Amino acid sequence: MAFEGLSQKLQNIFKKLTGRGKLSENDIKEAMREVRIALLEADVNYTIVKDFIKKVTERAIGAEILQSLTPGQQVIKIVNEELTALMGSTQSKLTVSPKPPTIILLCGLQGAGKTTMAAKLAGYLQKQGKKPLLVGCDIYRPAAIDQLKVLASQLQVPVFERGTADPVETAYLSVDYAIHKLADTVIVDTAGRLHIDEQMMQEIVAIRDKIKPTEILLTIDAMTGQDAVNVAKAFNDSIGIDGVIVTKLDGDTRGGAALSVKAVTGKPIKFAGTGEKLSDIEPFHPDRMASRILGMGDVLTLIEKAQSEFDEKSAAELEKKLQSNRFDLNDFLDQFKQIRKMGGIGSIMGMMGVDKSKMTSEEDAEKQMKRTEAIIQSMTMKERHNPQILDGSRRKRIAAGSGTTVTDVNRLINQFEQSKKMMKMFRNKKKGFKMPF
Amino acid sequence: MGENGFWAKLYKGLTKTRESLADKLSSLFGGAGELDDDFFEELEMILISADIGAVTTERIIEALRDEIKKEKMKTADEAREALVRIITEMMSTSEPYEPKKPTVILIVGVNGVGKTTVIGKLGNLYKSEGLSVMFAAGDTFRAAAVEQLGIWAERVGAPCVKHQEGSDSAAVIFDAVRSAKAKKTDVLICDTAGRLHNKHNLMEELRKINSVIEKEYPEADRQVWLALDATTGQNAVAQAKAFAAVSGINGIVLNKMDGTAKGGIVISICNEMEIPVRYIGVGEGIDDIRPFDATEFCRAMIKTA
């Protein structure tokens, strides 16, 4: 995929920066160009991408960038947060009619997967103790009603159909049938239709007016491209949808259409079709979708991992020390050990946006770390607690003791002082301690 | 219904959506407009909105800029012609298909792209050209898929080889090949179940089906066509690559071109993989299929008849 390497690209852009600090407008522009391509290649609609990039750019140039550990990481976080906000963060449930039956009307283009989804939905509701009735209103596609009947019989859910008779009437009659049969949920499968086919759109409006559905759900193929906005808008404008079902999410598409549809209709995505089997239906998790679209789940996982693996107890201790301003070189040493715990300095550095090409190899990085450890271990406890007392002669002694040079010792002390400053900045941010790298 | 009637229908489809890019384009390419930054920005929007993809769009615009510079073009009219040339060039592998005798066509694709419908329409087209046609109901997975193809077979007046639902698809194809050979059928068109290209087992099944045809019918002209939904976005490239890897693809049928989607993704596929687009589908009616013409496709896409 073209944007498989979005995180890598972002890191390359930021490698000119030393790994922390402020972002210039130019840095952000370059980064946003990559984010834009990633979103477009994920099929998010052109106009939505444009607005999104504008918003993220404004936010990124703002003050909060100061609190970032590395610019790349911060940008990824902002992009992800904004995408999640666009997708919506809470899961949406089906509305249940106070007076049974609850009526669900499915609509969408040809081949979106309505019939399969109707059956999956019936199975899902059945498991929750409901008594669904499936209604076959697709009189156009050959054998569509047969398909619904076969699927229904696998679930042992009843089907109401009248062959190729008027689908509006069929839908209408099905509600009485449901009441008679004590079914509490009616799921109406309709023919696939083009949103620009006026006659067919009138038909579904007529069905809606006859049965007054509790939920009108637009079924949309996760692989849909730029046209998703036109489709969603047209269906929403003409019949007024209540929610969306995204199908075929088990493919490898980034699924930007989901975002487009959400953005253009403002309606929640309620379910996702995730496989060939009738049980392959899941409530939709909008937050997960954001990172899928971005194609950077891996990086986000790393960020989460860094936050959670950092031992909570020592984090709390550190917090205390920071508050009383007692963070010293011993604590600094501890942190190096924490990094080891997270497995491989290379991946952490990569995640932090450290330039991998500068870091000749992972072994080199390990060596660097060992050297740092040796330097600190060559200090007396007093020196570790009070680095201020490290004068020239002490530094010379430490360099000799650790087999390094005075320059190395100086660099370490600078690093420590900078980390201390960074930590103070985070002190006010309660949630999530971050590595002072 | 000649070519003109069809393209007229396609244009009509395009104009149905007033707010769609067609109108924007006619204003963009409205004759003597200047070739400034606005022009290129708008052009970018039009191309990306047609699902051509950000990267390919960039490439096309770069080529157009070069051309404009080289030929010292001044007006949008000239640029439009250059654009059509550039895109047509990218799709140069596409050519009309003439079935040989005998031919076996295997239709593959992900779920819901319209494989079965395409088979019905193709069968009718070849039949009207005086060829004998047979169908093979190779989609043994989806409920009632066999019935669906059976109904098409009746409409077309072609025999349809079928087994029960849930049976082995390769076995159906094997029987169909035998039957087509025995009856000296000109064109055998085989349906397959829709499968997402990242499902390993299903893709392996397809490999097996394809090798059955290869082994059993070496004398036939073997066509494997990927059915694509014009509504599909960038994922179509991944689909083409995955299907090409297991069964080889020597053609694309671009379906559902009667909506507002432009199917621009085939440009990337044609260009990168050198797979010709054979036909486009423009509806669910039995006649709603036409040979693909790259230049006409581009013109329809940017509405400059």
Side-chain angles (χ1 to χ4, degrees), chain A residues 33 36 41 43 46 50 110-111 141-142 147 194-196 223 225-227 248 250-253 276, chain B residues 41 44-45 48 51 54-55 58 111 141-143 148 197-199 231 233-235 239 256 260-261 284:
Chain A
R33 193 182 161 269
R36 177 177 177 273
E41 296 291 303
D43 293 320
Y46 181 85
K50 209 172 168 183
Q110 289 91 344
R141 181 164 59 94
Q147 184 187 353
L194 276 173
H195 50 294
I196 51 169
M223 295 176 277
Q226 295 286 321
D227 203 39
K248 307 178 207 174
D250 48 326
D252 60 2
T253 178
E276 300 269 340
Chain B
E41 205 189 311
E44 183 194 46
M45 183 193 79
I48 286 177
D51 286 318
V55 178
E58 240 171 51
N111 315 66
F141 178 80
R142 182 167 60 90
Q148 189 182 345
H197 51 286
N198 59 342
K199 307 266 160 144
T231 326
Q234 303 307 303
N235 192 248
Q239 292 173 22
K256 307 191 198 177
T260 47
E284 289 170 292

Side-chain angles (χ1 to χ4, degrees), chain A residues 1-2 33 36-37 40-47 50 109-112 116 140-144 146-148 150-151 154 192 194-197 221 223-228 230-231 233 248-254 274-277, chain B residues 13 16-17 19-20 41 44-45 48-56 58 110-113 117 141-145 147-148 151-152 155 165 194-199 202 229 231-235 238-239 256 258-262 284:
Chain A
M1 293 249 141
R33 193 182 161 269
R36 177 177 177 273
I37 291 177
L40 287 173
E41 296 291 303
D43 293 320
V44 180
N45 179 263
Y46 181 85
T47 318
K50 209 172 168 183
L109 297 181
Q110 289 91 344
T116 306
Y140 307 95
R141 181 164 59 94
D146 288 338
Q147 184 187 353
L148 188 67
V150 173
L151 296 175
Q154 288 169 18
L194 276 173
H195 50 294
I196 51 169
D197 187 330
D221 185 326
M223 295 176 277
T224 311
Q226 295 286 321
D227 203 39
N230 298 330
V231 174
K233 194 173 179 307
K248 307 178 207 174
L249 256 183
D250 48 326
D252 60 2
T253 178
R254 294 285 181 205
T274 55
E276 300 269 340
K277 294 190 298 292
Chain B
K16 269 185 209 164
T17 39
E19 74 277 68
S20 84
E41 205 189 311
E44 183 194 46
M45 183 193 79
I48 286 177
S49 301
D51 286 318
I52 288 173
V55 178
T56 307
E58 240 171 51
V110 300
N111 315 66
V113 291
T117 311
F141 178 80
R142 182 167 60 90
E147 283 87 337
Q148 189 182 345
I151 293 169
W152 274 106
R155 284 183 191 171
E165 205 176 287
R195 66 199 77 221
L196 288 177
H197 51 286
N198 59 342
K199 307 266 160 144
L202 295 174
D229 183 335
T231 326
T232 307
Q234 303 307 303
N235 192 248
Q239 292 173 22
K256 307 191 198 177
D258 47 335
T260 47
K262 303 294 173 294
E284 289 170 292

Side-chain angles (χ1 to χ4, degrees), chain B residues 18 30 58 67 94 102 117 130 139 155 181-182 228 242 244 248 252 298:
Chain B
R18 289 272 155 232
E58 240 171 51
E67 196 83 343
S94 288
T117 311
D139 182 357
R155 284 183 191 171
K181 271 193 206 172
L228 275 183
I252 287 169
C298 296

